Amino acid sequence: MKWWKKSAQVALSVAVLVLAGAAQAADKIVISNWDGYMPKDLLERFKADTGIEAELSVHATNEEIMGKVTAGGGKGYDVLFVSSPFAEALNKLGLAAPVDHSKIPNIKNLYPEAMQLQHDPGNTYSVPYTWGTTGICYRSDLVKTEPQSWNDLLAPPEDVKGKETMLSTDRWLMAAALLAMGKSVNATDPETLDAAKAKLIEAKRNLLAYDDTVFYQKLVSGEAVVTHAWDGWCNYGIAENGAIKYVIPKEGSDLWVDTMVITAASENKDAAHKFIDYVLGVDNGKWVVENIMYKTPNKAGMEAIDKSLFEKYPNMAITPAELLKYEQLRDLGEGQKAFSKTVTEILAAK
Amino acid sequence: MALKDRSLLLVLPGFLWLGLFMVLPCAIIFAMAFFERGVYGGIDYGIVTAENFRRAFDPLYLSILLDSARIAFAATVLSILIAYPAAYAISRAKPALQPALLLLVLLPFWSNYLIRTYAWMVLLNREGVINGFLRWLGAIDQPLPMLYNEFAVILGLVYNYCPFVVLAIYAALQRLDPSYAEASRDLGAGATTTFLRITLPLTLPGIAAGAVFVFVLSIGNFITPDLLGGGRLQMVGNLIYDQFLTARDWPFGATLSMILIAVMMALLFLQALATNRAHGGRSHV
């Protein structure tokens, strides 16, 4: 064989490999999600069942993925897991693709209530993954009176002073004061923001700490007796100590919804739809409840779980109809500037 | 090729590295400080403003900067007080033993900063190991508030940065010619006088290097105040972190960063002056 012939053959086979690689790359999607927020083997099973390769990229906060997506126009990502106000913002910025329900047969697994969410009625650009409330998680055996109102957190009784934590994530921190005042959790007018600020600076003096991650451990150890908490995270504490309880204060809660959004920049929207369809399957819905201990709008998944969980974790039994009574956190648009300035001032205050 | 050209060639990679990854990013941050934030993060280039600087000097933020400086200063002084005797002891130990002792100083760095900080939380919290022990002894009835306050933050900073000071002072002590101290003793000075008039002044550059190190790392730290201060006590590092990662106000974060960089540069300049003086004014900066 002449040397050039051999070279040509090598070149040809390299070209074939490259083309094959390119074809394969087109069938690959990138998912960005919080760490541990979906089953570990989900992507493997998804590949085995559909032949589509999916890669997981992890973000720690909504803001982080929002920063990446706004900077790069969403290129390099196909499906994003974000909280609803961020989904709303992505949509306003034109970074979210319309959701084609005909490509997601499992969307029938959702509760009818989950198709009427305030931020996106009819789920046109986002599909809900988990939902729940924000309230007070406390040690019923270590408090003299059980908390019932946001004011029990903001102006605690003597025995709770210095033994309570609050969430410092901006929207939820503010929501505690806004709800206590009977205001909308999306208020951004200066008077309301100032009043909420005064309340929260006052509340800060009685805190053990701000804690958005391991507050339930502080309850278990007894270091804290009252904590500002998302219902699902309170369950991590309940799992370890039966005296830990969760209550939605009488003034109400927000309804938080974590959603899945397909990026407008996705080059493989069919595969992205298939992925969302896969996540909405019964088994994955069940996994979310049993492992993350959150409620899911996936009716089929909720119905598949062991019913004894509802007894052990009463907040799991909050019905969709009840959830929908609460106002959702919405994208604040221009109001965000004054809002985050207020939060910075609260966190900086002494 | 002339010697000068060749040396230029040798420093070129270093300069390029610094230029690309240090000077340029700093210039970008500096420029960012003069614009207004976008609604969803990023920068609104339409508006040029000095408002961010005005805001940074608002008493609220200024007090955080001063608090951070005070906390960093306290951590620095404590670190030196702890590190100097340790470094002195190591430098006087048997030469064969010295590497092992230095290794012990560096041992904490083998585990992650976060894990070491969480370990302090286990020790210091109200239901923690130390309070439990004191209560068991009957020394206290009410747990001591040792966590989520300034004490815990300073403790965390000293714990984490003290080893650097030990190394810096040890290096200075090693360089010290023992004949100076011997001469001092021969001329009738006591041990204290010798230490205060010979050893201490000559190791001042080491102390200064260690001190600047602790101060600069402490004032910009945000993990320790967040975890050991419980987020209630903010340092300027937390403020900057929040501006970029949650408030989405990059220009204000950039402004605060610039102020912090200015403070650090002033300190490094002072340190260079101190080193220079200690070397009898011979310029080698």
Side-chain angles (χ1 to χ4, degrees), chain A residues 89-161:
Chain A
L90 287 171
N91 183 49
K92 280 188 194 167
L93 292 169
L95 295 169
V99 174
D100 184 346
H101 290 210
S102 69
K103 289 179 183 160
I104 308 178
N106 276 336
I107 208 157
K108 69 174 188 319
N109 283 346
L110 292 178
Y111 287 104
E113 286 87 348
M115 306 294 283
Q116 306 160 15
L117 294 167
Q118 296 148 27
H119 77 281
D120 181 19
N123 299 335
T124 60
Y125 60 82
S126 65
V127 178
Y129 178 61
T130 55
W131 59 4
T133 61
T134 314
I136 300 175
C137 182
Y138 63 101
R139 277 284 291 263
S140 60
D141 56 334
L142 296 181
V143 290
K144 285 196 186 122
T145 46
E146 308 210 359
Q148 295 164 2
S149 155
W150 284 109
N151 287 312
D152 295 333
L153 182 75
L154 297 170
E158 219 37 62
D159 66 307
V160 174
K161 281 185 181 166

Side-chain angles (χ1 to χ4, degrees), chain A residues 236-254:
Chain A
Y236 303 150
I238 297 174
E240 289 185 50
N241 185 329
I244 294 175
K245 285 185 181 167
Y246 176 79
V247 64
I248 298 175
K250 62 179 187 225
E251 298 90 349
S253 164
D254 67 297

Side-chain angles (χ1 to χ4, degrees), chain B residues 22-277:
Chain B
M22 166 85 191
V23 179
L24 191 66
C26 281
I28 293 173
I29 292 174
F30 188 64
M32 219 185 242
F34 292 95
F35 293 98
E36 200 177 303
R37 61 168 290 178
V39 175
Y40 297 105
I43 316 279
D44 186 343
Y45 290 105
I47 307 156
V48 180
T49 171
E51 167 63 21
N52 292 315
F53 284 91
R54 198 201 56 70
R55 188 177 162 201
F57 287 103
D58 178 297
L60 178 69
Y61 303 119
L62 203 60
S63 79
I64 289 191
L65 192 68
L66 293 176
D67 275 349
S68 311
R70 188 172 49 76
I71 290 171
F73 182 75
T76 308
V77 171
L78 286 171
S79 296
I80 292 169
L81 290 178
I82 296 169
Y84 203 103
Y88 194 84
I90 295 173
S91 73
R92 290 287 173 280
K94 279 191 204 126
L97 209 61
Q98 290 188 15
L101 290 171
L102 287 174
L103 187 75
L104 284 178
V105 170
L106 288 174
L107 205 61
F109 292 109
W110 290 13
S111 72
N112 180 288
Y113 188 103
L114 267 181
I115 294 173
R116 281 180 284 145
T117 306
Y118 267 104
W120 275 112
M121 293 171 78
V122 173
L123 289 175
L124 297 177
N125 84 60
R126 221 179 39 214
E127 306 291 326
V129 177
I130 295 176
N131 270 319
F133 180 68
L134 289 176
R135 245 188 298 194
W136 176 78
L137 279 182
I140 50 168
D141 331 310
Q142 285 302 311
L144 298 173
M146 290 185 289
L147 188 56
Y148 310 123
N149 52 28
E150 204 174 294
F151 164 79
V153 175
I154 294 174
L155 179 71
L157 293 171
V158 170
Y159 166 74
N160 274 302
Y161 297 136
C162 203
F164 293 118
V165 191
V166 174
L167 293 183
I169 295 176
Y170 172 80
L173 285 164
Q174 280 301 97
R175 276 200 302 271
L176 193 65
D177 188 340
S179 59
Y180 292 156
E182 278 162 27
S184 163
R185 299 300 290 270
D186 286 349
L187 292 170
T192 316
T193 311
T194 302
F195 176 77
L196 288 177
R197 299 197 50 184
I198 307 293
T199 314
L200 195 61
L202 286 174
T203 49
L204 211 56
I207 298 176
V212 167
F213 214 85
V214 178
F215 189 87
V216 166
L217 287 175
S218 296
I219 199 171
N221 192 305
F222 59 89
I223 299 171
T224 302
D226 198 42
L227 293 176
L228 298 181
R232 282 167 64 218
L233 186 151
Q234 278 212 330
M235 283 175 64
V236 64
N238 302 87
L239 202 53
I240 295 171
Y241 177 91
D242 282 348
Q243 293 313 303
F244 280 98
L245 285 148
T246 62
R248 287 179 272 170
D249 193 343
W250 298 3
F252 187 50
T255 307
L256 293 167
S257 305
M258 285 325 295
I259 293 171
L260 195 55
I261 290 172
V263 170
M264 290 179 184
M265 277 175 66
L267 282 173
L268 288 170
F269 179 71
L270 287 177
Q271 187 222 347
L273 276 185
T275 314
N276 229 7
R277 273 186 55 185

Side-chain angles (χ1 to χ4, degrees), chain A residues 31 33-47 54-58 81 129-130 260 275-293 296 298 301:
Chain A
I31 318 291
N33 196 350
W34 285 276
D35 197 16
Y37 209 30
M38 58 187 185
K40 274 203 178 69
D41 62 346
L42 180 88
L43 299 182
E44 263 172 56
R45 282 191 283 121
F46 178 62
K47 194 189 172 192
E55 186 187 304
L56 176 67
S57 151
V58 170
F81 284 73
Y129 178 61
T130 55
M260 296 175 277
F275 175 78
I276 291 181
D277 187 56
Y278 200 77
V279 171
L280 289 183
V282 179
D283 289 347
N284 292 316
K286 183 168 178 262
W287 182 92
V288 166
V289 186
E290 289 174 350
N291 291 277
I292 313 178
M293 300 194 164
T296 171
N298 187 333

Side-chain angles (χ1 to χ4, degrees), chain A residues 165-226:
Chain A
T165 70
M166 279 188 80
L167 300 171
S168 67
T169 307
D170 52 359
R171 296 300 301 272
W172 285 287
L173 173 69
M174 287 293 276
L178 294 170
L179 287 165
M181 297 188 297
K183 301 279 184 185
S184 157
V185 292
N186 297 303
T188 55
D189 61 286
E191 295 81 51
T192 310
L193 289 182
D194 280 348
K197 181 171 114 181
K199 255 187 159 20
L200 290 166
I201 291 175
E202 197 53 44
K204 193 175 175 180
R205 304 206 162 93
N206 296 315
L207 293 185
L208 174 70
Y210 285 113
D211 193 338
D212 299 76
T213 47
V214 292
F215 49 82
Y216 58 92
Q217 286 172 4
K218 293 192 169 81
L219 284 178
V220 172
S221 75
E223 215 185 331
V225 295
V226 168

Side-chain angles (χ1 to χ4, degrees), chain A residues 288-327:
Chain A
V288 166
V289 186
E290 289 174 350
N291 291 277
I292 313 178
M293 300 194 164
Y294 279 5
K295 287 175 287 301
T296 171
N298 187 333
K299 186 174 182 227
M302 285 300 285
E303 282 169 355
I305 66 165
D306 180 354
K307 294 296 169 292
S308 68
L309 285 176
F310 291 136
E311 274 160 46
K312 188 161 186 203
Y313 308 105
N315 68 60
M316 278 188 188
I318 300 174
T319 62
E322 197 182 345
L323 287 175
L324 249 66
K325 285 195 310 204
Y326 302 124
E327 191 187 9

